[in-house]
Amino acid sequence: MITQIKGLHHVTSMAAHAQQNSDFFTKTLGLRRVKKTVNFDAPEVYHLYYGDELGTPGSVMTYFPFPHIAPGRPGAGEVGDTYFAVPKGTLNFWKQHLAAQDVGGLSESEVFGDKRLRFDGPDRDSFSLIEVDGDERTGWQRGGIAASEAIKGFRGASLRLRDGGATAELLRFMGYEKVDSQGSHTRFALSGGNGADVIDIEALTDAGPALQGAGSVHHIAFAVENRAAQLEVRKALMDTGYQVTPVIDRDYFWAIYFRTPGGVLFEIATNEPGFDRDEDAAHLGEGLKLPTRYEAHRAQIEQLLEPITD
């Protein structure tokens, strides 16, 4: 069994409009934009990162805003809800706040003992705020949301799968333990994780396949402390039969990727070096940061990117 995984590192999704995406996460949800860079494989497209003050692993939602991208189609083989943790007793505040911002899809429920408020993102992305008692993480305190209500980071995510058995086995191999089942949902949790340590499998036995587009999660990333731990995880996965990419330098972390039995793309990302490697912590996310290989083409790239105003 793998023991190096700490919980989630980040979740990466796709969007249709960069400005709309930035406004939603920084102004509506009160997160900090901690990095404005570009897609390593398509430098004419932003890669935007949002999280707590420093973009701590377990707090970071990231987006590729592809202009003119078609909407995604929900179905099996994808990440469903992304769960954010908020302080206990704050859901009424968030319900009123999101309603005042004309956020759609608001609904309250309780699952696995969690009080949650579900809502839609700008591209009908699926999110939930979950009350968590005793979460010691500190949310971004200058995002227009008071510290007493601020999002702490992720709580976890759900996977929509036609058959969750093989993915459940994978999660157990990754250190997660089954803790409960309710109807079509099964919860797995990681003991001693970083707070972003819950994964739910939702069985959709009759669902058609998901089609990725705006509002879809592209991949979900799990955190390990450093590159040595990442190599240990990579070897363990490959020894078990998974096809895992070589280590890829993503500037702010190192990454490996593999496809799960249910079709979801998993990433294992390092906590090092962090988002302050090329920007002072006081100014994260302000300037456009380019991978080294694209720096010589900055002028052309900037002309292709939609300007984002704060």
Side-chain angles (χ1 to χ4, degrees):
M1 184 179 75
I2 293 170
T3 60
Q4 296 88 345
I5 290 173
K6 305 300 183 183
L8 293 185
H9 186 284
H10 65 270
V11 177
T12 294
S13 295
M14 295 180 288
H17 303 285
Q19 184 70 62
Q20 180 188 54
N21 184 260
S22 184
D23 286 347
F24 182 79
F25 284 94
T26 61
K27 297 176 182 177
T28 301
L29 295 189
L31 300 179
R32 185 183 194 188
R33 194 178 70 222
V34 295
K35 195 61 60 181
K36 180 169 64 172
T37 183
V38 295
N39 185 313
F40 272 63
D41 301 313
E44 72 280 6
V45 174
Y46 281 116
H47 194 174
L48 304 175
Y49 293 77
Y50 311 98
D52 65 9
E53 182 177 6
L54 296 177
T56 305
S59 77
V60 182
M61 191 78 208
T62 98
Y63 271 86
F64 300 131
F66 286 93
H68 313 300
I69 189 175
R73 183 184 68 198
E78 67 173 351
V79 175
D81 272 19
T82 299
Y83 308 149
F84 291 105
V86 294
K88 190 173 178 62
T90 62
L91 282 194
N92 188 55
F93 161 81
W94 278 103
K95 183 179 180 180
Q96 294 181 38
H97 171 74
L98 294 178
Q101 299 291 319
D102 295 322
V103 173
L106 290 169
S107 65
E108 294 182 85
S109 64
E110 185 168 328
V111 183
F112 299 118
D114 289 338
K115 291 183 178 180
R116 69 174 63 187
L117 176 66
R118 196 209 155 274
F119 62 98
D120 292 337
D123 294 288
R124 299 189 65 85
D125 332 41
S126 189
F127 298 111
S128 290
L129 298 174
I130 293 180
E131 289 190 348
V132 180
D133 194 16
D135 190 330
E136 298 298 326
R137 294 177 293 173
T138 301
W140 175 234
Q141 297 186 19
R142 282 176 282 173
I145 305 294
S148 56
E149 285 100 18
I151 290 171
K152 301 280 191 175
F154 293 129
R155 176 70 174 122
S158 69
L159 309 178
R160 296 173 179 154
L161 306 175
R162 188 172 294 160
D163 180 0
T167 299
E169 183 177 344
L170 169 63
L171 289 173
R172 285 190 287 265
F173 182 65
M174 292 169 60
Y176 285 77
E177 298 178 355
K178 178 182 174 180
V179 295
D180 202 356
S181 292
Q182 290 184 11
S184 61
H185 292 75
T186 303
R187 169 154 290 187
F188 295 82
L190 186 70
S191 179
N194 61 7
D197 42 30
V198 165
I199 298 291
D200 294 337
I201 291 180
E202 181 182 2
L204 300 175
T205 55
D206 298 323
L211 180 64
Q212 286 202 336
S216 301
V217 172
H218 184 271
H219 63 268
I220 183 170
F222 296 81
V224 293
E225 193 61 39
N226 51 42
R227 297 183 71 186
Q230 183 183 63
L231 290 175
E232 292 170 358
V233 171
R234 184 174 186 270
K235 182 179 186 304
L237 289 167
M238 294 180 70
D239 287 348
T240 310
Y242 286 96
Q243 296 183 5
V244 187
T245 68
V247 176
I248 302 172
D249 183 357
R250 295 303 194 196
D251 281 357
Y252 311 107
F253 48 86
W254 283 271
I256 57 175
Y257 303 86
F258 66 102
R259 188 72 61 176
T260 68
V264 180
L265 184 61
F266 276 13
E267 175 184 345
I268 310 295
T270 62
N271 289 349
E272 58 180 9
F275 293 99
D276 58 353
R277 67 173 294 274
D278 60 357
E279 277 183 304
D280 184 88
H283 298 285
L284 291 181
E286 295 180 7
L288 176 65
K289 297 300 178 181
L290 297 179
T292 302
R293 68 177 182 266
Y294 293 133
E295 190 59 55
H297 308 287
R298 173 176 287 272
Q300 299 96 306
I301 290 171
E302 289 181 339
Q303 287 181 348
L304 294 172
L305 293 171
E306 169 193 347
I308 298 176
T309 57
D310 296 326

